[in-house]
Amino acid sequence: MDIHWAALGQVFVVSLVMTIGLVAVFTLGIVGNRANQQTGVGTALLARTGAWVSYALCAAAVAYGIYIIAS
């Protein structure tokens, strides 16, 4: 058995980058939700919209990952 180290390295790097990116996007959603509770009406709408977009991106990334695993 032979290990293809370049492919293993690529999988590691892509997994690391996607994990950090997904956590960062989810954190932006949490921060936007917190800002929604602490700001005025105009800014609250923008913060709430940004939070829901962040959550939607997280859900899409998870759904895509499940799709890749299942196929």
Side-chain angles (χ1 to χ4, degrees):
M1 179 165 63
D2 191 30
I3 297 175
H4 193 261
W5 290 104
L8 183 63
Q10 285 179 336
V11 169
F12 175 76
V13 170
V14 169
S15 298
L16 185 66
V17 168
M18 290 305 293
T19 300
I20 291 171
L22 192 61
V23 169
V25 170
F26 191 78
T27 303
L28 285 175
I30 292 172
V31 170
N33 199 12
R34 172 76 51 118
N36 176 29
Q37 298 169 354
Q38 296 177 351
T39 57
V41 175
T43 309
L45 179 63
L46 182 62
R48 185 181 317 130
T49 303
W52 282 105
V53 167
S54 296
Y55 294 146
L57 284 172
C58 287
V62 169
Y64 182 65
I66 292 171
Y67 169 77
I68 288 175
I69 290 170
S71 64

